[in-house]
Structures are given as C-alpha cells and as structure tokens.
Amino acid sequence: MSVTKMAINGKELELPVIVGTEDETGIDISQLRKRSGVVTLDTGYGNTGSCQSAITFINGEKGILRYRGYPIEQIATTTRFPEVCYLLIYGELPTQEQYTEFREGLTHHTLIHEDMKKFFEGYAITAHPMAILSSMVAALSSYYEAAEDDEAMNLNIVRLLAKAKTIAAFSYKKSVGQPFVYPQNHLSYTQNFLHMMFSVPAEPYEVPPVLDEALNLLLILHADHEQNCSTSTVRMVGSSETNLFASISAGINALWGPLHGGANQKVIEMLQHIIDDGGDYKKYVDMAKDKDSPFRLMGFGHRVYKNYDPRAKILKESADQVLGQLGVDDPLLEIAKHLEEIALEDDYFVSRKLYPNVDFYSGILYRAMGIPTNMFTVMFALGRLPGWIAHWREMRLDPAGRIHRPRQIYTGPKMRDVVALAER
Ligand code: ACO
C-alpha cells in the first residue's frame, strides 16, 4: 500500500492511498481527525469516496458505465432485467439454472398480502405514486421479518423485487379509480408490470413486444449508478442496521426530488410548458443561460458525466425506434429535438459539458409508452431497485462496515447565555 504526505498546521502526516481496479485513487483520511484534529469539508460530496464498492464503475469524463465489469452497451443488448438484478446483487450473471430459479421466485412472490390492499383505500386519490410506493415498501417490513441469515435476506430481496412492481401498478390503478389487476404467472417481469398497469377486467391487455423491449431496456439502464443521492441514502440508512424494506423506502424518497429521479417528470412538464407558452423554446434556452434566472433546462447536465451519458446515447436510439414503430407523432418531441440540438452546439452548454442526460430521453419514451407523467419517477425507482439492494447487501456484508456518521464545520453562534423571558 502506498502513502501520500500532507502537511497540516506545520505537522507532516502520511496518509494511505487506496487504488481501485480501474486505477481510481483515493486518499484514506479516516484517521485524519484523530491524528491532526481537522476534518475534510466537501459540501455535496463531489470529491468524497464514501465507500469501496465492487458493483458499478463509471468514468464520467470518458462516458463509461459498467455493471460488475460488463459495459452497459453489452448488458443493454443481450440481457433481460432479472438477469441484471441477479448480476448487480450477487456479482455474476446467473447460470441458466440460477436464472430459472430466480425468475420463478420473482414470479411467485409478485402478489402482495391481501391486507395491504386495504392501505390503498387510505391514500388521497391525488396522492403522488412515489408517496404510495415509498410508504408501501416501508410497510412490507411489517409483514416480513428482518433477515437474520443469508437465506432470509435473499428471500426478502426476491420479495421486494417482485412486489414493488405490483405496488407501483396498483398505485396507478388507484389514481385512475380502476380495480387492481392481479399478476399472471406465465408473464415475464416486464410483461406482468405492463399487464397490471393497462389491463382492465373487461379487456385483458396484450403486451406489445415493442413496449416489453423498451421497458426492459429502460429498467436495465437505470439499474445502478454507484454513489448517487438515493443509493448513498440507502447505504446511509442501512448502516444503522435498518431493515432492507425501510432502507429502500428511504432511497425511493431521495430519488423523488427534481434534481434526481424526479427530473424525468420535470422534463415533460417543462416541454409541455414551453408548448403552452407558444412554443418559443429559444426563450427557455436563454432563461437557462441567464445567471439571474433560477430556470434550468430539465434533463440536461449531470454531476458525474462530463461527456455524453452512455445511457442517454442508448435511449436516444431506442426512443427513435419505439416512436417510429408506435407511429407516435408528439409535438413535445419536436421541442425536445430543438433543445437537444441547441444544447449540443451552444457555447454555454458545450463549455459546461451539459449534455442531455438519461432522464431527458426516458421521459419521452415513457410518455410514448402510455405511462402517465406522475408515474415516471416510480418507473425509475423500479429500475433502480436492484442497484439499491446490491449496495445495501454489499454494505451489510462488509465486515469492516460501521454506522455512517459524517462530521461538520459548525458555523452557528458561539457559546452564549439564555436570557429568560420576564413572563412565561
Ligand atoms: N440548465 C442550465 N444550466 C445548468 C444546468 C441546466 N440543466 N445544469 C447545470 N447548469 C450550469 C450551472 O448553472 C453551473 O453554471 P456556472 O458554472 O456558470 O455556475 C454549471 O452548469 C455547473 O452546474 P452545477 O449545478 O454545479 O452542477 P451539479 O453537478 O451540482 O448539478 C445537476 C448536476 C443537478 C444534474 C444539474 O445539472 C441540474 O440541475 N440539471 C437539471 C436537472 C436534471 O436533469 N437532473 C437529472 C440528473 S440525472 C439523474 O438523476 C439520473
């Protein structure tokens, strides 16, 4: 192990240097405070490695994304979502036998307890499906005990993956006032979700292969993205030994915000707003560039990618194909194309490396698939589920794991005395 030297308050310290498999280098400062009395400050964690992880590798400068070493471009064209779940969680692509068993588990645990159906009655009809998803996932912990051993942990993992899609589809049915549609065991993971979303008792829904393929791709592309806001939340919450369901529920809430998973909904709302305002998209580009305006172009920019987001590249092609096959003629798409063209040429965006991100295209695709806008972030959550689970499991199985507890630099008042009120 190599070390680096650092001088703090005139005192020289040697700090260990940790090198990852892709030569990513980190200075281990875990003993810094003990040895020098100071901490590091990195608001937003842009320069802080919070853990060592063997799940996903990203190189934002080069536009690289790999799950367990496999390039996302290969994963996206050769696998089905349950295989990716298995890969992320357990580290290897499943053998045929492992895949059959895993898929059967996902099929046979799809139903939620009948009592849980009653919970849906209590939500307001206008409830955002993310509120329903996060609270229902937390509620699963009241039905299934926290895992004591590997077998119980694996069972809870399968339960969560299987039931989340049922909860998601039921939350949609609740919002449109339709009866819940039960899963069918002969359908695949993605087919079952679309069936529960779009079938009505009078008319079973034949899942169009083009939508099945598109959903499979969307879920795979969202499956993991290392230490983002929601995944780090899952690890943070799970570090106190909180159970799987409650930890993932926290991740769902972290994903909800418009600067993270909520962006795909915001993209469509922004495009619709531009159309409603007369379609002058250039006005909105100028607003996004104006330092005095808080407006940002939703679906552009990324903390890590300073190159084209590889997921966005794949989705852009798929969006063109799916929209072509479905014969969708969407005015929002026209505006989206104009914005994309400008952002790829305009100096403001080029100099800041603000490329369209995955949410820019996923919103457009979900809309073409008939998924309502307020379900977009739920779709992201379904895709991200295996990534969250993989990180939760990796953290829990790490023998060196400890509760996450960052430090801070206090900037409040110095010590002062209370002056009691005259009358209380
Ligand atoms: N529109 C206009 N300007 C932007 C945008 C945008 N979408 N994004 C960043 N900028 C500008 C900033 O104003 C800043 O300019 P400056 O250097 O002149 O001050 C510069 O680009 C860098 O931006 P930061 O805010 O420092 O970048 P950060 O890494 O903190 O934020 C984020 C990344 C949150 C994704 C941001 O680009 C953003 O708000 N994008 C829109 C929301 C969005 O699409 N989120 C989805 C992210 S992808 C995902 O979660 C899967």
Side-chain angles (χ1 to χ4, degrees):
M1 183 178 56
S2 64
V3 292
T4 192
K5 288 185 180 158
M6 193 183 259
I8 297 169
N9 296 336
K11 191 174 160 196
E12 195 168 85
L13 294 175
E14 281 194 347
L15 298 169
V17 174
I18 311 292
V19 183
T21 41
E22 292 287 346
D23 291 334
E24 287 182 302
T25 305
I27 301 170
D28 179 350
I29 52 108
S30 54
Q31 298 302 311
L32 186 66
R33 197 180 67 90
K34 211 182 265 177
R35 292 172 53 199
S36 69
V38 306
V39 297
T40 55
L41 177 65
D42 182 19
T43 309
Y45 308 123
N47 207 33
T48 295
S50 60
C51 62
Q52 296 189 50
S53 175
I55 301 169
T56 288
F57 172 69
I58 298 176
N59 181 324
E61 278 70 34
K62 293 188 180 151
I64 293 174
L65 169 61
R66 293 184 202 133
Y67 295 162
R68 300 280 188 184
Y70 297 110
I72 191 63
E73 294 78 6
Q74 287 181 31
I75 292 280
T77 46
T78 52
T79 63
R80 297 294 300 178
F81 181 62
E83 287 170 87
V84 177
C85 293
Y86 192 97
L87 170 69
L88 288 169
I89 296 167
Y90 299 113
E92 295 296 338
L93 281 166
T95 60
Q96 194 65 55
E97 203 179 318
Q98 287 165 334
Y99 183 55
T100 306
E101 192 188 334
F102 189 62
R103 253 184 53 160
E104 274 174 11
L106 292 182
T107 302
H108 289 104
H109 289 283
T110 301
L111 279 173
I112 57 171
H113 195 289
E114 279 295 291
D115 287 351
M116 279 193 89
K117 267 175 50 191
K118 295 188 196 123
F119 293 4
F120 285 92
E121 292 165 20
Y123 294 108
I125 192 89
T126 51
H128 195 288
M130 282 296 274
I132 299 182
L133 183 68
S134 66
S135 51
M136 293 292 280
V137 166
L140 286 173
S141 59
S142 62
Y143 288 82
Y144 307 107
E145 280 177 25
E148 294 289 336
D149 55 31
D150 276 4
E151 201 183 331
M153 185 191 279
N154 290 339
L155 181 56
N156 277 349
I157 286 172
V158 167
R159 282 175 173 144
L160 177 55
L161 284 167
K163 293 177 199 308
K165 65 179 182 309
T166 311
I167 294 170
F170 282 17
S171 72
Y172 168 64
K173 287 296 193 194
K174 157 87 188 177
S175 73
V176 289
Q178 289 179 6
F180 299 138
V181 174
Y182 281 60
Q184 289 187 359
N185 284 356
H186 70 278
L187 297 176
S188 72
Y189 192 92
T190 41
Q191 287 168 337
N192 236 334
F193 173 73
L194 291 167
H195 155 72
M196 289 189 282
M197 281 284 289
F198 297 124
S199 282
V200 284
E203 199 174 356
Y205 171 79
E206 280 286 325
V207 179
V210 58
L211 295 196
D212 183 25
E213 286 300 325
L215 180 58
N216 185 57
L217 180 65
L218 280 156
L219 295 180
I220 287 175
L221 293 181
H222 285 89
D224 192 43
H225 215 234
E226 50 118 303
Q227 307 312 313
N228 51 81
C229 174
S230 55
T231 304
S232 301
T233 298
V234 170
R235 290 187 86 119
M236 168 76 89
V237 173
S239 76
S240 70
E241 298 191 0
T242 297
N243 69 69
L244 174 70
F245 304 109
S247 303
I248 301 294
S249 168
I252 294 170
N253 285 318
L255 186 76
W256 195 353
L259 297 189
H260 192 11
N264 53 15
Q265 175 172 342
K266 292 288 168 200
V267 168
I268 296 299
E269 286 170 5
M270 175 188 74
L271 295 173
Q272 189 62 56
H273 185 76
I274 295 175
I275 289 181
D276 295 345
D277 190 28
D280 184 3
Y281 55 88
K282 289 185 182 151
K283 183 171 105 183
Y284 286 86
V285 173
D286 290 341
M287 267 163 61
K289 289 158 58 175
D290 181 357
K291 285 282 139 214
D292 295 327
S293 161
F295 179 77
R296 285 190 165 197
L297 276 188
M298 284 292 136
F300 287 83
H302 198 279
R303 170 63 62 82
V304 175
Y305 291 117
K306 303 302 170 196
N307 195 322
Y308 223 107
D309 177 341
R311 303 166 302 170
K313 213 182 258 175
I314 298 169
L315 267 194
K316 179 176 155 54
E317 278 172 30
S318 173
D320 289 343
Q321 274 173 19
V322 172
L323 294 168
Q325 282 190 42
L326 293 174
V328 173
D329 186 13
D330 189 342
L332 265 69
L333 197 63
E334 281 306 303
I335 299 283
K337 280 192 175 144
H338 289 308
L339 290 180
E340 186 193 18
E341 277 161 20
I342 289 184
L344 294 178
E345 284 170 10
D346 189 295
D347 187 54
Y348 175 92
F349 294 92
V350 174
S351 64
R352 288 170 180 76
K353 300 185 170 151
L354 298 172
Y355 294 90
N357 59 45
V358 67
D359 284 329
F360 187 68
Y361 299 105
S362 67
I364 292 166
L365 249 176
Y366 281 132
R367 183 177 156 90
M369 292 167 71
I371 308 274
T373 313
N374 69 351
M375 280 291 287
F376 287 4
T377 315
V378 167
M379 303 306 296
F380 190 159
L382 287 185
R384 185 52 54 87
L385 211 46
W388 289 331
I389 295 170
H391 283 272
W392 181 88
R393 182 174 177 273
E394 182 181 66
M395 189 246 334
R396 288 297 279 270
L397 297 182
D398 178 1
R402 61 203 291 240
I403 189 167
H404 292 195
R405 202 317 188 170
R407 294 274 169 174
Q408 64 165 19
I409 305 292
Y410 174 70
T411 58
K414 278 190 175 287
M415 177 3 218
R416 50 186 171 165
D417 293 319
V418 174
V419 180
L421 287 175
E423 270 181 54
R424 264 179 286 165

